[in-house]
Amino acid sequence: MFVCSCNMLTDTDVEAAVKNGAVRPKEVYESKGCRAQCGNCVPGVVCLLRQMVRQGRMAVPEAAHMGAQMNAV
């Protein structure tokens, strides 16, 4: 599914970025060589990142860091 129509970013792109170490929305966009344009997609990217943390798709230290960071938002 498309997460960001401005950059044609999909949930698969987010998952690939996470597997390559992305833990913040900015890192997800950078993995595709783009950045958030209008910003409407950022909550969706954050939601996907949280889901991947819960599903254990990230390494433990990154997941712990991500959880703390998400709680601060």
Side-chain angles (χ1 to χ4, degrees):
M1 105 181 122
F2 282 100
V3 178
C4 172
S5 57
C6 294
N7 293 304
M8 304 306 285
L9 189 73
T10 66
D11 58 328
T12 305
D13 295 326
V14 174
E15 186 170 0
V18 167
K19 287 180 180 177
N20 288 321
V23 294
R24 296 178 182 85
K26 181 180 179 181
E27 296 167 345
V28 172
Y29 295 105
E30 287 174 349
S31 74
K32 290 291 286 181
C34 60
R35 61 184 177 91
Q37 301 294 315
C38 70
N40 287 331
C41 57
V42 174
V45 171
V46 170
C47 182
L48 286 171
L49 286 169
R50 286 180 177 166
Q51 285 177 353
M52 290 176 191
V53 167
R54 282 193 297 263
Q55 293 173 358
R57 295 186 193 180
M58 302 171 108
V60 174
E62 293 170 343
H65 173 72
M66 183 68 178
Q69 188 176 37
M70 288 299 147
N71 289 333
V73 173

